[in-house]
């Protein structure tokens, strides 16, 4: 048993499903970098201020590498067996190792490319909207639209056959459950890993360079041929990161617009729709507890000392509500002067798929409300089931009629 | 007007700059930032400041001589 901690427990109860725990407000004002005991018994810093989060995420002394020890977590499974070895990917690499991999991946997903994807995303969206109309009311937008559209898109981009997407959804869901039995998580990880290993090997063997995975497996990284196991790791990251996050953002976007119906019209215009989606993204930093780093050296910042080896969790959801940056931090107001939100993180790991995600959220919401202008959720948004205990926040279901 | 200077080694290629100010920035090989207009017109000053702030890797600098 570790000695009992004298630190306060991490505040983590929401009072409204759209807002982070109310304690964050006082923390931002009084101690934007402070230490807490996390539910799994690990101590770690919680960073809640906008400028503090940015400063620390840009600091090269904070590593994304976990050095094989358990990070702060909201999972209460304390004696967790070691997780199945995850293949390495961008989110386990610091610069300089990170840099060439990052470039090989982001060059596939530039803002210009994301714009060119708009018609394809709209076409996929309409396939699912047609099915929803045919199946009749009510529909669950999470399973019938928000999950399958980003899944189809990322599968096509990477070069994963669409026929396998149900399998992916299932495995990704298991992996992201806080408190899921470790055996289940390990089985899901292994299943995904084996599938992708096969796919990547096929692309290498057949010389396929027609999709992102095909190009990645034939790429040179820092002057060497890309090792196949790391390509599989990156593939796994792209699939998981590119699917569930966007799906949850779409669900929360619909819920948010229920209370702000006058904003729906903005979606029809690209510039206004883009600004609206930025506000929806700001309101919902769905990596809800924040992103985790580890100090590789002592860091003196704002009068506190983060010691070498300490865990640091940067709260994106708190930073996005910082009163010193936003005039109405808790309201959706596309007109307010915008400080860039931190929902996609900050620093060299800032989301590689952000341009695609922005386009997907905007196009799916636009086509949804263009097709069903009277769409509404069947219960008040406060009564929906939210993913409180999941690492990626969102809705479990979104029952709608039109 | 400030001069635009970028550090290609720092750039992590998210492309925010090229999206916001396509006449000033582009992304070249490997998505790394390329400056198209080193001395942008004065009316872009505010948006240049915004992009410099938003850049996730601190790769953009505005130098005033
Ligand atoms: C609204 C949807 C999304 C949100 C909120 C989101 C959020 C994030 C955040 C916060 C990070 C930083 C993690 C860290 O620094 O520890 C990240 C990284 C990443 N995301 Fe996203 N993401 C979204 C969609 C996507 C999509 C669609 C893709 C892929 C197509 C994607 C691929 C990635 C990758 C590859 C990284 C790792 C980048 C690196 O380490 O250099 N994400 N994302
Ligand atoms: S915004 Fe910064 S990191 Fe992104 S492409 Fe431009 S210079 Fe590079």
């Amino acid at each position: 048993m570790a000695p009992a901690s004298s630190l306060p427990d991490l505040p983590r109860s929401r009072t409204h499903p759209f807002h982070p725990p109310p304690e964050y407000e006082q923390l931002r004002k009084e101690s934007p970098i402070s230490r807490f005991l996390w539910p799994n018994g690990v101590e770690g810093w919680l960073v809640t201020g906008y400028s503090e989060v940015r400063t620390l995420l840009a600091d090269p002394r904070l590593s994304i590498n976990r050095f094989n020890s358990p990070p702060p977590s909201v999972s209460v499974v304390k004696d967790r067996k070691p997780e199945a070895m995850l293949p390495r990917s961008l989110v386990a690499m610091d610069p300089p190792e990170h840099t060439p991999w990052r470039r090989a991946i982001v060059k596939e997903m530039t803002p210009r490319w994301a714009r060119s994807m708009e018609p394809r995303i709209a076409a996929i969206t309409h396939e699912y909207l047609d099915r929803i109309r045919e199946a009749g009311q009510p529909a669950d937008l999470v399973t019938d639209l928000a999950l399958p559209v980003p899944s189809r898109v990322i599968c096509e981009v990477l070069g994963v056959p669409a026929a396998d997407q149900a399998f992916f959804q299932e495995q990704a869901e298991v992996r992201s459950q806080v408190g899921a039995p470790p055996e289940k998580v390990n089985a899901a990880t292994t299943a995904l890993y084996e599938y992708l290993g096969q796919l990547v090997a096929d692309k290498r063997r057949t010389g396929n360079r027609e999709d992102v995975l095909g190009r990645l497996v034939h790429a040179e990284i820092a002057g060497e041929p890309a090792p196949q196991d790391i390509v599989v790791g990156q593939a796994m990251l792209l699939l998981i990161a590119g699917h569930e996050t966007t799906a949850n953002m779409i669900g929360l976007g619909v819920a948010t617009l229920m209370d702000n119906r006058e904003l729906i019209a903005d979606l029809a215009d690209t510039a206004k729709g883009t600004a609206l989606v930025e506000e929806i993204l700001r309101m919902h930093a769905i990596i809800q507890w924040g992103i985790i780093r580890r100090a590789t050296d002592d860091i003196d910042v704002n009068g506190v000392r983060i010691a070498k080896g300490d865990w640091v969790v940067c709260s994106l959801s708190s930073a996005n509500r910082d009163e010193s940056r936003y005039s109405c931090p808790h309201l959706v107001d596309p007109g307010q002067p915008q400080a860039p939100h931190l929902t996609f993180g900050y620093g060299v790991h800032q989301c590689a798929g952000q341009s695609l995600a922005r386009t997907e959220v905007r196009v799916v919401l636009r086509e949804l409300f263009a097709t069903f202008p009277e769409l509404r959720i069947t219960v008040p948004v406060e009564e929906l089931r939210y993913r409180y205990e999941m690492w990626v926040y969102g809705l479990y279901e979104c029952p709608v009629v039109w | 007007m400030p001069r635009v200077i970028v550090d290609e080694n720092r750039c992590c290629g998210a492309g925010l700059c090229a999206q916001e100010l396509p006449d000033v920035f582009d992304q070249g090989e490997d998505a790394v930032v390329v400056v198209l207009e080193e001395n942008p017109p004065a009316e872009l000053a505010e948006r240049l400041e915004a992009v410099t702030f938003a850049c996730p890797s601190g790769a953009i600098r505005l130098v005033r001589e």
Side-chain angles (χ1 to χ4, degrees), chain A residues 50 54 58 98-99 102-104 106-107 109-112 115 274 325 339-340 345-351 354-355 358, chain B residues 7-16 18-19 22 25-32 50 52-58:
Chain A
Y50 182 93
R54 269 179 54 117
H98 173 262
T99 313
R102 164 98 186 175
R103 289 188 175 162
V106 290
K107 78 172 182 192
M109 302 194 291
T110 63
R112 190 179 303 141
R115 274 196 298 279
T274 302
R325 298 287 163 163
Y346 188 73
V348 297
H349 292 282
Q350 193 185 58
C351 182
Q354 57 184 286
S355 300
R358 285 185 167 100
Chain B
D7 181 344
E8 290 88 355
N9 295 322
R10 285 189 145 207
C11 170
C12 66
L16 296 175
Q19 168 163 290
F25 302 98
D26 197 2
Q27 291 179 274
E29 185 60 15
D30 286 1
V32 171
T52 305
F53 181 76
C55 168
S57 60

Side-chain angles (χ1 to χ4, degrees), chain A residues 73-354:
Chain A
S73 167
V74 295
S75 163
V76 286
V77 185
K78 282 196 184 167
D79 305 310
R80 204 162 179 165
K81 289 197 193 68
E83 271 198 33
M85 264 298 281
L86 263 184
R88 290 173 62 69
S89 74
L90 288 182
V91 292
M93 294 175 176
D94 290 316
E97 184 193 18
H98 173 262
T99 313
W101 282 106
R102 164 98 186 175
R103 289 188 175 162
I105 291 169
V106 290
K107 78 172 182 192
E108 300 282 354
M109 302 194 291
T110 63
R112 190 179 303 141
W113 168 81
R115 274 196 298 279
S116 77
M117 288 291 289
E118 231 186 278
R120 183 65 197 133
I121 296 168
I124 293 175
T125 304
H126 275 282
E127 271 185 43
Y128 289 94
L129 289 174
D130 288 348
R131 288 189 207 176
I132 287 174
R133 193 200 296 283
E134 277 160 31
Q137 327 196 23
D140 172 16
L141 284 188
V142 173
T143 41
D144 298 344
L145 186 75
L147 278 166
V149 172
S151 170
R152 268 285 283 287
V153 173
I154 193 69
C155 282
E156 286 186 15
V157 169
L158 293 182
V160 174
D164 298 329
Q165 64 172 292
F167 163 81
F168 275 106
Q169 242 155 265
E170 227 167 86
Q171 312 301 322
E173 179 73 5
V174 171
R175 284 193 33 80
S176 71
Q177 273 165 18
V178 168
E183 317 79 62
K184 250 181 104 180
V185 173
N186 285 353
T189 306
T190 310
L192 276 175
Y193 184 62
E194 282 172 2
Y195 175 86
L196 286 169
Q198 197 60 49
L199 190 69
V200 165
D202 284 351
K203 290 186 197 289
R204 168 162 285 172
R205 194 168 34 77
T206 56
N208 176 335
R209 289 177 172 76
E210 270 149 41
D211 44 53
V212 171
L213 289 188
R215 284 187 289 276
L216 209 51
V217 76
H218 291 101
E220 278 204 353
I221 301 293
E224 305 280 334
Q228 202 160 312
D229 59 330
I230 303 188
V231 173
V232 176
Q234 309 290 12
M236 193 123 153
L237 170 67
L238 287 163
L239 269 171
I240 294 169
H243 167 208
E244 204 189 327
T245 45
T246 316
N248 282 301
M249 197 58 80
I250 292 168
L252 290 170
V254 174
T256 303
L257 289 172
M258 290 297 104
D259 286 349
N260 298 271
R261 289 201 87 95
E262 73 287 355
L263 294 175
I264 291 173
D266 285 6
L267 290 164
D269 175 86
T270 303
K272 282 187 185 166
T274 302
L276 173 59
V277 167
E278 285 312 291
E279 264 298 85
I280 291 172
L281 287 163
R282 181 181 69 80
M283 285 295 283
H284 303 289
I286 52 176
I287 315 292
Q288 60 172 329
W289 313 111
I291 52 185
I292 304 173
R293 297 291 190 268
R294 198 151 193 210
T296 57
D297 206 343
D298 291 349
I299 302 174
D300 290 305
V301 53
N302 288 30
V304 301
R305 163 157 300 185
I306 295 172
K308 182 175 175 175
D310 281 358
W311 292 105
V312 180
V313 183
C314 293
S315 173
L316 310 176
S317 64
S318 177
N320 282 355
R321 304 298 180 94
D322 194 319
E323 296 74 7
S324 69
R325 298 287 163 163
Y326 302 99
S327 43
C328 322
H330 308 298
L331 289 182
V332 184
D333 177 6
Q336 68 178 309
Q338 284 300 315
H341 64 71
L342 300 179
T343 297
F344 292 121
Y346 188 73
V348 297
H349 292 282
Q350 193 185 58
C351 182
Q354 57 184 286

